[in-house]
Amino acid sequence: MPQHTLNYLDLLEAESIHIMREVAGQFERPCLLFSGGKDSITLVQLALKAFKPGKIPFPLVHIDTGHNFPEALEYRDRMAKEAGAKLIVRKVEDTIKARGLKEAGGKFPSRNALQSYTLLDTIEEFGFDACIGGARRDEEKARAKERIFSVRDEFGQWDPKKQRPELWNLYNGMIAKGENVRVFPISNWVELDVWNYIKREGIQLPSIYFTHEREVIIHNEYLVAMSEFVRVDEGDVIVKRNVRYRTVGDMTCTAAVASTAATIDDIIKEIQHTNISERGETRIDDQVSEAAMEDRKKNGYF
Amino acid sequence: MDLLRFITAGSVDDGKSTLIGRLLYDTDSIKVDQLETILKQSKNKSEGEIDLALFTDGLRAEREQGITIDVAYKYFATEKRKFIIADAPGHIQYTRNMVTGASNSDLIIILVDARLGVIEQTRRHSIIASLLQIPHVVVTINKMDMVNFSEEVYNTIVADYSKMADMLKIKDVTFIPISALNGDNIVNPSINTPWYKGETLLNLLETINITNDINYEESRFPVQFVIRPQSEDLHDYRGYAGKVLSGTYKKGDVVTILPDGIDSTIKAVEVHGIEVDEAFAPQSAVIRLTDDIDINRGDLIVKKSNILKVSQEIEATLCWMDTKPLVVGNKYLLQVQSKRVRCVIKEINYKLDVNTLVKHEQFDPVGLNDVVHVLIKTASPIAYDSYNTLRANGGAILIDETAHTTVAGCMLS
Ligand SMILES: Nc1nc2c(ncn2[C@@H]2O[C@H](COP(=O)(O)OP(=O)(O)O)[C@@H](O)[C@H]2O)c(=O)[nH]1
Ligand SMILES: [Mg+2]
């Protein structure tokens, strides 16, 4: 009698692959939104496994804010090539020029808000009816309520009141022209699952996920990478620190974590023991509490 | 380490949010920054005390604003197991949300307020649990601190509930006396209930056997996608990608492709591009066949079965989820796994009172949250199972053809 047991990573993987295949089966022009972060790297791995020995039957799309870490871009190109997937890159810079958009100012000018213009234009340009994304429900309260197949209107908006019931493993991807479905295959994964999966699958990550020495500005206790995109003011404390990234987004709005973790195992150990959430620790735009900061200091971070 | 999905049910103020908060808090699943946000919001509490309910309540804010209350998913893990909680609202007007959360659950926790005992909501939630065939039911009798941890109160509620559970044919029921607020019998055994010899809630969640909930006898494999690389080295490769809903598949197995009824033999079973001896539920896999037959998304690959049905006339229990009423003669799309066909509602046999289980043959129009028994006629044959016999292949949804919304969840029979 063979043992019919699957561990949680197998179960999560099986569910995510089922979702990937539903996308390929239900939609005419799906795509996978690839940001270069660990969640979307995990998505690519899942897509590869879902369609083996065939190729991923949809393109990878990167909305390039122009504020990326160079390591993430290099990784993106290599990954797409290795996966044999088509890579589409559209630049926020171009949208800003073409549409005369106004950039956010400030010390760490974020292009987060502008990104959605480029995304909507890209969806329209290619007629994408589904975009696979790497959001997880454990990230924040609003996400905790979002469906796996999440319908967006012509303006890309999510209406929580109009969410479709989502029963069993039955996904309804029917839409009207102009609408679009965002699909989140790793909705049920938590941060640690992603790291454990990356470890189990032996997935290579961009080097910035591991400890490296970097010049950072210390801003409200956050460590923000020095780059041409941030504004340096008089009195700024700029130091060299051993850091790694817990999430990889734009250079201007993701903070680094003081860390000497050099391997996936080190990182998993750190995350198991951290008492700060992923968002709280890395998102400069979100407020981090005093208690959390106090605790970080207690742990000797600064 | 495996994964348990459960849902919490109970009426307003029974302590659902407090219980979830307690589980998350006592298992160290809440980070300091999240805790801090909650401390700030726990205004009415005295210094340093936290309102555990706030861990899950986006819901409370929603309720205050009077917008739709929805299922929120929460995650935590212990050394033994990982857990996904569907935190669903209990009001009758949110039945559809509860059904959504219940559809994927291995277990339901039904809270009963020790002071109130079994009430209408308890009955309704139990009826939903039984309709959706949630394999395990745990009845937590909460706020025991408010009845002096009385064994007598507990026993009366257990007796009342057991009577109802028998009537509903709910099989696996466990009772636990708890105080969500103080943590009695949640993670640690309570010193206040020396008469209670059972396990704590967390212990039960960690150890309850869920592998037996999967049927390994009946094999069902819906084809989601056909993999045809058409590359030089894989010129003739044709793999059927899908998910093993139940049972097992291995090389040499004789299978039937439904609804057409064509027989073939399995040439290979692959999981993620690697040939395996056997694929089993709930794995995602690829099946290759010895014969070159035309198989598409929506087809079902099965092994010999005595219980599977192929029919164009299907009886079903529907949970209606749309604000537009269900009317006999209306046409919809019926989705059973990867298969979608047009269908018409031929008859509505009765409406089920989800508070009493009474079947009403005379009823008002079928509206949001109503549960009805219907006869559906499909445009082409469907291969399906009775939900009560094989849950994995007996659930379906109805989709509005023009609005594209999901209007009903169906338990086929
Ligand atoms: N005394 C006592 N109060 C409780 C207990 N569990 C919850 N409560 C209180 O009951 C009220 C409602 O709890 P809440 O978790 O919001 O209920 P929900 O509406 O089911 O989510 C809150 O004031 C809680 O503090 C308990 O075990 N004992
Ligand atoms: Mg609540």
Side-chain angles (χ1 to χ4, degrees):
Chain A
M1 237 338 241
Q3 286 261 302
H4 294 135
T5 50
L6 294 174
N7 76 16
Y8 72 95
L9 281 180
D10 296 323
L11 291 165
L12 291 173
E13 181 186 57
E15 177 181 80
S16 302
I17 286 179
H18 175 255
I19 295 163
M20 288 283 181
R21 290 168 171 177
E22 279 304 289
V23 174
Q26 288 197 32
F27 296 95
E28 304 211 334
R29 286 204 182 80
C31 69
L32 189 154
L33 298 178
F34 183 77
S35 71
K38 65 180 186 309
D39 295 323
S40 63
I41 291 171
T42 299
L43 286 181
V44 173
Q45 173 76 353
L46 289 164
L48 277 171
K49 290 178 95 167
F51 302 104
K52 267 186 181 173
K55 293 225 165 82
I56 300 176
F58 36 75
L60 312 183
V61 171
H62 183 227
I63 303 301
D64 182 348
T65 60
H67 288 176
N68 305 287
F69 290 93
E71 293 90 341
L73 292 184
E74 185 213 327
Y75 181 92
R76 172 197 76 190
D77 295 338
R78 187 157 31 89
M79 168 130 194
K81 207 163 149 206
E82 279 170 19
K86 187 177 166 202
L87 176 69
I88 295 168
V89 179
R90 287 294 176 271
K91 293 186 153 76
V92 173
E93 190 78 48
D94 295 339
T95 318
I96 291 173
K97 279 190 198 131
R99 293 187 174 268
L101 302 176
K102 190 173 179 305
E103 291 239 37
K107 189 167 180 58
F108 305 113
S110 165
R111 282 181 168 172
N112 263 350
L114 300 182
Q115 217 175 182
S116 60
Y117 291 89
T118 314
L119 175 60
L120 286 183
D121 286 350
T122 311
I123 287 172
E124 198 174 314
E125 179 186 351
F126 293 92
F128 291 131
D129 44 9
C131 303
I132 300 169
R136 307 188 320 262
R137 284 175 176 154
D138 77 324
E139 285 176 288
E140 49 156 349
K141 274 189 176 176
R143 287 261 191 246
K145 288 168 195 274
E146 192 160 1
R147 304 284 190 249
I148 289 172
F149 272 42
S150 184
V151 180
R152 302 299 168 98
D153 67 14
E154 240 176 301
F155 305 99
Q157 298 178 107
W158 176 53
D159 185 350
K161 284 185 239 177
K162 283 209 214 141
Q163 293 215 90
R164 295 172 180 176
E166 200 160 72
L167 293 98
W168 299 291
N169 55 356
L170 304 178
Y171 303 102
N172 171 6
M174 291 195 63
I175 44 169
K177 217 177 162 53
E179 288 178 335
N180 172 279
V181 180
R182 300 287 157 80
V183 180
F184 304 112
I186 59 168
S187 285
N188 285 324
W189 299 44
V190 300
E191 186 189 11
L192 206 51
D193 298 334
V194 172
W195 285 107
N196 279 315
Y197 188 71
I198 285 167
K199 177 186 167 182
R200 185 184 89 172
E201 301 289 302
I203 298 169
Q204 295 299 311
L205 288 181
S207 55
I208 47 177
Y209 276 105
F210 302 95
T211 187
H212 56 283
E213 196 182 55
R214 184 180 284 273
E215 206 172 21
V216 292
I217 302 184
I218 302 184
H219 178 77
N220 290 345
E221 316 287 356
Y222 284 109
L223 307 178
V224 188
M226 268 295 285
S227 68
E228 58 192 291
F229 312 118
V230 305
R231 191 188 72 214
V232 179
D233 297 313
E234 210 169 305
D236 274 349
V237 183
I238 299 168
V239 291
K240 277 196 172 159
R241 283 287 156 84
N242 286 321
V243 298
R244 68 175 168 83
Y245 281 87
R246 190 166 167 188
T247 47
V248 168
D250 278 3
M251 294 190 83
T252 51
C253 54
T254 353
V257 181
S259 167
T260 53
T263 65
I264 298 273
D265 281 317
D266 296 342
I267 293 172
I268 289 174
K269 220 174 282 165
E270 278 191 6
I271 288 173
Q272 271 168 341
H273 292 114
T274 180
N275 45 23
I276 305 168
S277 71
E278 178 177 347
R279 248 190 134 71
E281 188 165 50
T282 60
R283 291 294 296 264
I284 301 171
D285 30 2
D286 291 4
Q287 272 269 318
V288 149
S289 65
E290 283 171 36
M293 291 326 306
E294 199 181 319
D295 245 82
R296 277 208 270 187
K297 280 185 195 161
K298 271 188 203 147
N299 289 338
Y301 275 116
F302 303 107
Chain B
M1 191 154 73
D2 65 353
L3 189 65
L4 179 87
R5 295 174 196 242
F6 68 91
I7 178 169
T8 48
S11 76
V12 184
D13 286 346
D14 278 353
K16 253 166 8 82
S17 302
T18 309
L19 176 67
I20 295 174
R22 169 64 63 193
L23 280 169
L24 297 177
Y25 187 67
D26 284 359
T27 54
D28 281 336
S29 314
I30 301 179
K31 302 294 183 196
V32 175
D33 53 318
Q34 297 164 327
L35 196 62
E36 179 67 9
T37 314
I38 282 155
L39 268 170
K40 269 190 208 144
Q41 293 166 352
S42 307
K43 290 185 206 101
N44 326 343
K45 299 274 165 172
S46 50
E47 193 65 29
E49 209 179 323
I50 46 166
D51 185 352
L52 287 173
L54 287 172
F55 287 137
T56 65
D57 282 357
L59 288 177
R60 179 158 301 176
E62 280 179 70
R63 189 155 57 219
E64 278 160 7
Q65 293 161 27
I67 58 166
T68 312
I69 296 190
D70 217 323
V71 192
Y73 294 90
K74 294 275 158 351
Y75 303 81
F76 76 101
T78 66
E79 272 167 23
K80 301 205 177 101
R81 215 172 228 172
K82 287 180 67 77
F83 300 93
I84 302 179
I85 313 174
D87 181 14
H91 266 78
I92 188 146
Q93 64 264 40
Y94 307 123
T95 301
R96 65 168 179 169
N97 296 334
M98 194 186 153
V99 168
T100 296
S103 69
N104 281 318
S105 295
D106 306 304
L107 181 147
I108 182 167
I109 297 178
I110 298 179
L111 277 99
V112 175
D113 186 325
R115 299 168 302 173
L116 307 176
V118 174
I119 56 171
E120 187 172 291
Q121 266 90 333
T122 319
R123 198 171 305 120
R124 183 172 67 250
H125 296 153
S126 303
I127 288 171
I128 291 171
S130 114
L131 275 177
L132 283 151
Q133 296 278 311
I134 302 178
H136 311 278
V137 176
V138 180
V139 180
T140 50
I141 293 135
N142 190 30
K143 306 199 184 181
M144 285 301 292
D145 55 306
M146 297 185 92
V147 296
N148 290 317
F149 295 95
S150 156
E151 182 179 11
E152 212 180 313
V153 168
Y154 173 77
N155 284 339
T156 308
I157 295 172
V158 170
D160 282 355
Y161 191 93
S162 302
K163 237 183 281 163
M164 183 182 69
D166 282 347
M167 211 180 75
L168 296 176
K169 300 196 179 69
I170 296 178
K171 279 159 258 156
D172 182 21
V173 190
T174 313
F175 299 92
I176 308 180
I178 63 164
S179 166
L181 192 65
N182 304 324
D184 295 80
N185 293 324
I186 309 284
V187 172
N188 301 309
S190 168
I191 49 162
N192 298 312
T193 54
W195 43 266
Y196 172 70
K197 302 289 181 251
E199 4 172 34
T200 62
L201 177 62
L202 184 67
N203 199 16
L204 178 124
L205 294 174
E206 285 183 325
T207 54
I208 199 158
N209 184 327
I210 47 171
T211 46
N212 293 345
D213 300 342
I214 295 174
N215 184 326
Y216 292 112
E217 304 302 315
E218 296 285 336
S219 299
R220 305 283 183 272
F221 185 91
V223 175
Q224 295 180 266
F225 188 79
V226 181
I227 297 175
R228 298 195 58 195
Q230 291 175 310
S231 58
E232 242 168 69
D233 46 331
L234 294 165
H235 193 73
D236 297 320
Y237 183 99
R238 225 184 145 83
Y240 304 106
K243 188 167 164 114
V244 185
L245 299 177
S246 62
T248 60
Y249 290 87
K250 61 179 189 306
K251 185 176 172 170
D253 280 347
V254 176
V255 292
T256 307
I257 319 310
L258 294 172
D260 288 351
I262 303 163
D263 288 341
S264 186
T265 304
I266 294 181
K267 179 158 79 182
V269 178
E270 292 160 14
V271 172
H272 317 324
I274 296 162
E275 192 166 340
V276 294
D277 291 338
E278 182 185 64
F280 55 91
Q283 281 183 315
S284 283
V286 170
I287 289 179
R288 296 167 64 203
L289 301 175
T290 49
D291 305 283
D292 207 3
I293 28 187
D294 185 31
I295 298 178
N296 299 301
R297 174 176 165 82
D299 289 338
L300 193 68
I301 301 180
V302 303
K303 297 205 290 203
K304 198 172 162 44
S305 165
N306 294 320
I307 60 165
L308 187 111
K309 300 170 198 182
V310 182
S311 172
Q312 270 180 271
E313 297 218 327
I314 306 173
E315 282 188 45
T317 303
L318 296 192
C319 176
W320 191 250
M321 300 177 155
D322 200 32
T323 44
K324 276 186 284 175
L326 167 70
V327 180
V328 170
N330 276 9
K331 293 195 175 70
Y332 299 99
L333 291 165
L334 179 75
Q335 181 175 337
V336 186
Q337 290 302 324
S338 51
K339 179 103 176 166
R340 227 180 247 161
V341 295
R342 298 190 73 197
C343 73
V344 58
I345 307 297
K346 293 291 273 192
E347 289 165 22
I348 303 176
N349 301 318
Y350 57 83
K351 190 191 271 191
L352 190 74
D353 185 324
V354 288
N355 290 322
T356 59
L357 214 60
V358 172
K359 297 171 182 174
H360 296 286
E361 285 175 27
Q362 304 291 319
F363 47 82
D364 299 335
V366 179
L368 187 64
N369 296 315
D370 280 342
V371 175
V372 289
H373 192 266
V374 300
L375 177 68
I376 300 170
K377 181 150 199 294
T378 58
S380 62
I382 292 275
Y384 71 99
D385 287 275
S386 157
Y387 188 79
N388 290 346
T389 324
L390 190 63
R391 192 184 181 202
N393 191 39
I397 54 173
L398 287 181
I399 300 171
D400 186 304
E401 274 189 298
T402 54
H404 304 139
T405 45
T406 302
V407 294
C410 322
M411 279 71 72
L412 308 178
S413 50

Coordinates of all heavy atoms in Angstrom, one line a residue, chain B residues 15-59:
Chain B
G15 N -18.5 35.0 20.5 CA -17.0 35.0 20.8 C -16.2 34.4 19.7 O -15.0 34.0 19.9
K16 N -16.7 34.4 18.5 CA -15.9 33.9 17.3 C -14.6 34.6 17.2 O -13.5 34.0 17.1 CB -16.7 34.1 16.1 CG -17.3 32.8 15.5 CD -18.3 33.1 14.4 CE -18.5 34.5 13.9 NZ -17.5 34.9 12.9
S17 N -14.7 35.9 17.1 CA -13.4 36.7 16.8 C -12.5 36.5 18.0 O -11.3 36.4 17.8 CB -13.8 38.1 16.6 OG -14.6 38.3 15.5
T18 N -13.0 36.5 19.2 CA -12.2 36.3 20.4 C -11.5 35.0 20.3 O -10.3 34.9 20.6 CB -13.0 36.4 21.6 OG1 -13.8 37.6 21.6 CG2 -12.2 36.5 22.9
L19 N -12.2 34.0 19.9 CA -11.6 32.6 19.8 C -10.5 32.6 18.8 O -9.4 32.1 19.1 CB -12.7 31.6 19.4 CG -12.2 30.2 19.2 CD1 -11.7 29.6 20.5 CD2 -13.3 29.3 18.6
I20 N -10.7 33.2 17.6 CA -9.7 33.2 16.6 C -8.5 34.0 17.1 O -7.3 33.5 17.0 CB -10.2 33.7 15.3 CG1 -11.3 32.8 14.7 CG2 -9.1 33.9 14.3 CD1 -12.0 33.3 13.5
G21 N -8.8 35.1 17.7 CA -7.7 35.9 18.2 C -6.9 35.2 19.2 O -5.7 35.2 19.3
R22 N -7.6 34.4 20.1 CA -6.9 33.6 21.1 C -6.0 32.6 20.5 O -4.9 32.4 20.9 CB -8.0 33.0 22.0 CG -7.6 32.0 23.0 CD -6.7 32.4 24.0 NE -7.2 33.5 24.9 CZ -6.4 34.1 25.8 NH1 -5.1 33.9 25.8 NH2 -7.0 35.1 26.5
L23 N -6.5 31.9 19.5 CA -5.7 30.9 18.8 C -4.5 31.5 18.2 O -3.4 31.0 18.3 CB -6.5 30.2 17.8 CG -7.5 29.1 18.2 CD1 -8.4 28.6 17.1 CD2 -6.7 27.8 18.8
L24 N -4.7 32.6 17.5 CA -3.5 33.3 16.9 C -2.5 33.8 17.9 O -1.3 33.6 17.8 CB -4.0 34.4 16.0 CG -4.9 34.1 14.8 CD1 -5.3 35.4 14.1 CD2 -4.2 33.2 13.8
Y25 N -3.1 34.4 18.9 CA -2.2 35.0 20.0 C -1.4 33.9 20.7 O -0.2 34.0 20.9 CB -3.1 35.8 20.9 CG -2.3 36.6 21.9 CD1 -1.5 37.7 21.5 CD2 -2.4 36.3 23.3 CE1 -0.9 38.4 22.4 CE2 -1.7 37.1 24.2 CZ -0.9 38.1 23.8 OH -0.2 38.9 24.7
D26 N -2.1 32.9 21.2 CA -1.5 31.9 22.0 C -0.5 31.0 21.2 O 0.2 30.2 21.7 CB -2.5 31.0 22.7 CG -3.2 31.7 23.9 OD1 -2.7 32.9 24.1 OD2 -4.1 31.2 24.5
T27 N -0.6 31.0 19.9 CA 0.3 30.3 19.1 C 1.4 31.2 18.5 O 2.1 30.8 17.5 CB -0.4 29.5 17.9 OG1 -1.1 30.5 17.1 CG2 -1.3 28.4 18.4
D28 N 1.5 32.4 19.0 CA 2.5 33.4 18.6 C 2.4 33.7 17.1 O 3.4 33.9 16.4 CB 3.9 32.8 18.8 CG 4.3 33.0 20.3 OD1 3.7 33.9 20.9 OD2 5.1 32.2 20.8
S29 N 1.2 33.8 16.6 CA 1.1 34.0 15.2 C 0.9 35.5 14.9 O 0.7 35.9 13.7 CB -0.1 33.3 14.6 OG -0.1 31.9 15.1
I30 N 1.0 36.3 15.9 CA 0.7 37.7 15.7 C 2.0 38.5 15.9 O 2.7 38.4 16.9 CB -0.4 38.3 16.6 CG1 -1.6 37.5 16.2 CG2 -0.6 39.8 16.4 CD1 -2.8 37.8 17.0
K31 N 2.4 39.3 14.9 CA 3.6 40.0 15.0 C 3.5 41.3 15.9 O 2.4 41.8 16.0 CB 4.1 40.4 13.6 CG 4.3 39.2 12.7 CD 5.5 38.3 13.2 CE 5.7 37.2 12.2 NZ 6.5 36.1 12.8
V32 N 4.6 41.8 16.4 CA 4.6 42.9 17.3 C 3.9 44.1 16.7 O 3.1 44.8 17.3 CB 6.0 43.3 17.8 CG1 6.0 44.5 18.6 CG2 6.6 42.1 18.5
D33 N 4.2 44.4 15.4 CA 3.6 45.6 14.8 C 2.1 45.5 14.6 O 1.4 46.5 14.8 CB 4.3 46.0 13.5 CG 4.3 44.8 12.5 OD1 4.6 43.7 12.9 OD2 4.1 45.0 11.3
Q34 N 1.7 44.3 14.4 CA 0.2 44.0 14.3 C -0.4 44.2 15.6 O -1.5 44.7 15.8 CB 0.0 42.6 13.7 CG 0.5 42.5 12.2 CD 0.6 41.1 11.8 OE1 0.9 40.2 12.5 NE2 0.4 40.9 10.5
L35 N 0.2 43.7 16.6 CA -0.3 43.7 18.0 C -0.4 45.2 18.4 O -1.4 45.6 19.1 CB 0.7 43.0 18.9 CG 0.3 42.6 20.3 CD1 -0.9 41.7 20.2 CD2 1.4 42.0 21.0
E36 N 0.6 46.0 18.0 CA 0.6 47.4 18.4 C -0.6 48.1 17.8 O -1.2 48.9 18.5 CB 2.0 48.0 17.9 CG 2.1 49.5 18.2 CD 2.2 49.7 19.7 OE1 2.4 48.8 20.5 OE2 2.2 50.9 20.1
T37 N -0.9 47.8 16.6 CA -2.0 48.5 15.9 C -3.3 48.1 16.7 O -4.1 49.0 16.9 CB -2.2 47.9 14.5 OG1 -0.9 47.9 13.9 CG2 -3.1 48.8 13.7
I38 N -3.4 46.9 17.1 CA -4.5 46.4 17.9 C -4.6 47.1 19.3 O -5.7 47.5 19.7 CB -4.6 44.9 17.9 CG1 -5.0 44.4 16.6 CG2 -5.5 44.4 19.0 CD1 -4.6 43.1 16.2
L39 N -3.5 47.1 19.9 CA -3.4 47.8 21.2 C -4.0 49.2 21.1 O -4.8 49.7 22.0 CB -2.0 47.8 21.8 CG -1.6 46.6 22.6 CD1 -0.1 46.6 22.9 CD2 -2.4 46.6 23.9
K40 N -3.6 49.9 20.1 CA -4.1 51.3 19.9 C -5.6 51.3 19.7 O -6.3 52.2 20.2 CB -3.4 51.9 18.6 CG -2.1 52.6 18.9 CD -1.7 53.4 17.7 CE -0.2 53.5 17.7 NZ 0.4 53.4 16.3
Q41 N -6.1 50.2 19.1 CA -7.6 50.2 18.8 C -8.4 49.7 20.0 O -9.6 50.0 20.1 CB -7.9 49.3 17.6 CG -7.3 49.9 16.3 CD -7.3 48.9 15.2 OE1 -7.6 47.7 15.4 NE2 -7.0 49.4 14.0
S42 N -7.7 49.1 21.0 CA -8.4 48.5 22.1 C -8.7 49.6 23.1 O -8.2 49.6 24.2 CB -7.6 47.4 22.8 OG -7.3 46.4 21.9
K43 N -9.5 50.6 22.7 CA -9.6 51.8 23.5 C -10.4 51.6 24.8 O -10.0 52.2 25.8 CB -10.4 52.9 22.6 CG -9.6 53.4 21.5 CD -10.3 54.5 20.8 CE -9.9 54.7 19.3 NZ -10.9 54.0 18.4
N44 N -11.4 50.8 24.7 CA -12.3 50.7 25.9 C -11.7 49.8 27.0 O -12.2 49.7 28.0 CB -13.6 50.1 25.5 CG -14.1 50.5 24.1 OD1 -13.6 51.5 23.6 ND2 -15.0 49.8 23.6
K45 N -10.5 49.2 26.6 CA -9.9 48.3 27.6 C -9.0 49.1 28.5 O -8.5 50.1 28.2 CB -9.1 47.2 26.8 CG -10.0 46.4 25.9 CD -10.7 45.2 26.6 CE -11.8 44.7 25.8 NZ -12.3 43.4 26.4
S46 N -8.8 48.5 29.7 CA -7.9 49.1 30.6 C -6.5 48.9 30.2 O -6.2 48.1 29.3 CB -8.1 48.5 32.0 OG -8.1 47.1 31.9
E47 N -5.6 49.7 30.7 CA -4.2 49.7 30.4 C -3.6 48.3 30.1 O -3.7 47.4 31.0 CB -3.4 50.4 31.5 CG -2.0 50.8 31.1 CD -2.0 51.9 30.0 OE1 -3.0 52.7 29.9 OE2 -1.0 51.9 29.2
G48 N -3.1 48.1 28.9 CA -2.3 46.9 28.7 C -3.2 45.7 28.3 O -2.7 44.7 27.8
E49 N -4.5 45.8 28.4 CA -5.4 44.7 28.1 C -5.7 44.8 26.6 O -5.9 45.9 26.0 CB -6.7 44.8 28.9 CG -7.3 43.5 29.2 CD -8.6 43.7 30.0 OE1 -8.6 44.6 30.8 OE2 -9.6 43.0 29.8
I50 N -5.7 43.7 25.9 CA -6.1 43.8 24.5 C -7.4 43.1 24.2 O -7.8 42.2 24.8 CB -5.0 43.1 23.6 CG1 -4.6 41.8 24.2 CG2 -3.8 44.0 23.4 CD1 -3.8 40.9 23.2
D51 N -8.0 43.7 23.1 CA -9.3 43.1 22.7 C -8.9 42.1 21.6 O -8.7 42.4 20.4 CB -10.2 44.2 22.1 CG -11.5 43.7 21.7 OD1 -11.7 42.5 21.8 OD2 -12.4 44.5 21.4
L52 N -8.9 40.8 22.0 CA -8.5 39.8 21.1 C -9.3 39.8 19.8 O -8.8 39.4 18.7 CB -8.6 38.4 21.7 CG -7.6 38.1 22.8 CD1 -8.0 36.8 23.5 CD2 -6.2 38.0 22.2
A53 N -10.6 40.2 19.9 CA -11.5 40.1 18.7 C -10.9 41.0 17.6 O -11.2 40.7 16.4 CB -12.9 40.6 19.1
L54 N -10.1 42.0 17.9 CA -9.7 42.9 16.9 C -8.7 42.3 15.9 O -8.4 42.8 14.8 CB -9.0 44.2 17.5 CG -10.1 45.1 18.2 CD1 -9.3 46.2 18.9 CD2 -11.0 45.8 17.1
F55 N -8.1 41.2 16.3 CA -7.2 40.5 15.3 C -7.9 40.2 14.0 O -7.3 40.1 13.0 CB -6.6 39.2 16.0 CG -5.7 39.5 17.0 CD1 -5.7 38.8 18.2 CD2 -4.7 40.5 16.9 CE1 -4.8 39.0 19.2 CE2 -3.8 40.8 17.9 CZ -3.8 40.0 19.1
T56 N -9.2 39.8 14.1 CA -9.8 39.4 12.9 C -10.8 40.5 12.4 O -11.3 40.3 11.3 CB -10.7 38.1 13.2 OG1 -11.7 38.5 14.1 CG2 -9.8 37.0 13.7
D57 N -11.0 41.5 13.1 CA -12.0 42.4 12.7 C -11.6 43.5 11.9 O -11.3 44.6 12.3 CB -12.9 42.9 13.9 CG -13.8 41.8 14.3 OD1 -13.8 40.7 13.6 OD2 -14.5 41.9 15.3
G58 N -11.5 43.3 10.6 CA -11.9 44.2 9.6 C -13.4 44.1 9.6 O -14.1 45.0 9.3
L59 N -13.9 42.9 9.9 CA -15.3 42.6 9.9 C -16.1 43.6 10.7 O -17.2 44.0 10.3 CB -15.5 41.2 10.5 CG -15.1 40.0 9.6 CD1 -15.3 38.7 10.3 CD2 -15.8 40.1 8.3

